[in-house]
Amino acid sequence: FPFLPLHSQILCLVIMLFSTNIVAQSQQDNRTNFSCPSDSPPSCETYVTYIAQSPNFLSLTNISNIFDTSPLSIARASNLEPMDDKLVKDQVLLVPVTCGCTGNRSFANISYEINQGDSFYFVATTSYENLTNWRAVMDLNPVLSPNKLPIGIQVVFPLFCKCPSKNQLDKEIKYLITYVWKPGDNVFLVSDKFGASPEDIMSENNYGQNFTAANNLPVLIPVTRLPVLARSPSDGRKGGIRLPVIIGISLGCTLLVLVLAVLLVYVYCLKMKTLNRSASSAETADKLLSGVSGYVSKPTMYETDAIMEATMNLSEQCKIGESVYKA
């Protein structure tokens, strides 16, 4: 572009690079086939995955709003407590959607209200986390400008999905879950996460064993039943809630053991003191008997009650010596 000013040349280069990226993305999309199988039902109930993200999408309520569904339906599918609205960053969710054919491709058409600053590209990559792309949105909304959207209007965003074919249903594959491939994923990690067969994943998505080209693009995970998603992030949060309770119980048990130990020591000491006092009393009685035996031929033993009664409870009136009483 030598005939154009420098800034115009730069702008043209940026547009070319952007267009090249879009073309590449479209080519990558085609490697997972989202067309409508001739032997599949016209529509089906299926699921797309969603990753909880801050700041706006860390609650089931906010996420359910953009998918036009209920928080309860997401909670049930995602192995969450019905009233557990708060989520943890990067928590994986299953969102139920109705999938059907739009033209010759399978989509779950979701109505979205445009907010300030929204564009087709921004909503597709942020709110819907690449479950669709801006070209598919533009094809479905041809009268709207992708970057100049009136605030408050309802725009249909088509999320990529697919219904199982008759052959897959015969193999007991019930759902084709739409999952956006993440950098660092591999077929075996993803198959373990969803309880799917690695062979089925590779067969359904034309990437072979290396899914690097699928990064940040939707793929299909064939499953025979809904996966029980790992709740490690949520458990970590709940574990944090239970930690004070666990600490309190531990301290309470420790205190109880200490109290019981002190009580046992006290009872033992009290018992020993009683035994020592009894031994001392017996020793005093022996000495008394020894002293008396010098005066009488055979000592006579009296019950304590009889002695106390005879001496009027060791009254001073009966005392005739230091420790001698008349009775």
Side-chain angles (χ1 to χ4, degrees):
F1 313 99
F3 55 87
L4 294 176
L6 180 60
H7 69 276
S8 298
Q9 294 182 36
I10 294 174
L11 180 60
C12 288
L13 287 173
V14 170
I15 293 173
M16 288 178 64
L17 289 172
F18 182 73
S19 301
T20 303
N21 182 57
I22 295 301
V23 171
Q25 183 179 356
S26 299
Q27 291 173 347
Q28 287 176 311
D29 284 347
N30 292 334
R31 295 180 68 174
T32 296
N33 184 7
F34 288 99
S35 64
C36 297
S38 58
D39 59 347
S40 69
S43 66
C44 64
E45 299 302 314
T46 187
Y47 298 85
V48 300
T49 56
Y50 196 82
I51 310 299
Q53 295 291 339
S54 60
N56 298 323
F57 300 109
L58 287 179
S59 78
L60 287 178
T61 300
N62 289 354
I63 293 172
S64 66
N65 287 340
I66 66 169
F67 284 97
D68 196 22
T69 188
S70 69
L72 181 60
S73 64
I74 300 176
R76 286 174 175 170
S78 304
N79 191 34
L80 299 176
E81 297 295 333
M83 302 304 294
D84 191 8
D85 188 64
K86 299 299 181 182
L87 304 172
V88 174
K89 186 177 181 295
D90 296 328
Q91 189 169 350
V92 181
L93 304 172
L94 287 177
V95 181
V97 295
T98 301
C99 187
C101 288
T102 302
N104 63 346
R105 304 192 78 180
S106 297
F107 293 114
N109 294 324
I110 306 296
S111 181
Y112 174 86
E113 183 177 332
I114 297 298
N115 299 305
Q116 178 71 39
D118 280 347
S119 66
F120 287 170
Y121 178 81
F122 179 79
V123 176
T125 56
T126 56
S127 295
Y128 290 112
E129 299 180 349
N130 293 310
L131 288 167
T132 185
N133 62 49
W134 73 273
R135 294 180 68 86
V137 182
M138 188 170 64
D139 290 343
L140 203 60
N141 303 273
V143 299
L144 296 174
S145 172
N147 299 307
K148 296 179 180 179
L149 301 171
I151 297 174
I153 67 166
Q154 297 290 326
V155 175
V156 176
F157 278 77
L159 310 185
F160 289 102
C161 63
K162 195 173 183 179
C163 298
S165 65
K166 183 178 184 304
N167 182 52
Q168 288 173 322
L169 291 172
D170 290 342
K171 292 171 58 179
E172 298 186 349
I173 292 175
K174 294 183 179 180
Y175 307 104
L176 298 176
I177 297 175
T178 304
Y179 172 71
V180 177
W181 201 264
K182 302 294 185 294
D185 279 344
N186 65 60
V187 173
F188 299 101
L189 285 175
V190 173
S191 66
D192 184 62
K193 179 187 297 184
F194 287 95
S197 162
E199 292 76 17
D200 287 342
I201 295 176
M202 289 186 285
S203 174
E204 189 63 35
N205 305 279
N206 301 314
Y207 292 97
Q209 289 190 351
N210 185 2
F211 274 64
T212 302
N215 285 343
N216 300 314
L217 295 175
V219 300
L220 293 169
I221 311 297
V223 296
T224 56
R225 58 183 175 82
L226 276 186
V228 179
L229 296 177
R231 300 176 60 188
S232 53
S234 183
D235 286 344
R237 174 172 56 83
K238 292 179 179 178
I241 294 174
R242 288 197 299 262
L243 185 58
V245 178
I246 294 173
I247 293 175
I249 292 174
S250 300
L251 290 176
C253 291
T254 303
L255 183 61
L256 180 62
V257 170
L258 288 175
V259 170
L260 289 175
V262 171
L263 184 60
L264 288 174
V265 171
Y266 173 77
V267 171
Y268 175 78
C269 292
L270 186 62
K271 185 175 181 181
M272 292 302 296
K273 186 175 181 181
T274 303
L275 291 174
N276 291 337
R277 184 178 298 170
S278 299
S280 178
S281 299
E283 184 180 355
T284 302
D286 289 341
K287 291 181 179 179
L288 179 61
L289 288 176
S290 299
V292 171
S293 62
Y295 300 95
V296 294
S297 60
K298 183 178 180 181
T300 302
M301 302 297 294
Y302 294 95
E303 294 291 335
T304 304
D305 292 343
I307 295 174
M308 297 301 287
E309 182 182 356
T311 61
M312 293 186 293
N313 292 325
L314 302 180
S315 171
E316 290 292 328
Q317 298 178 5
C318 297
K319 192 173 184 179
I320 57 177
E322 183 177 352
S323 61
V324 181
Y325 294 81
K326 64 180 179 179

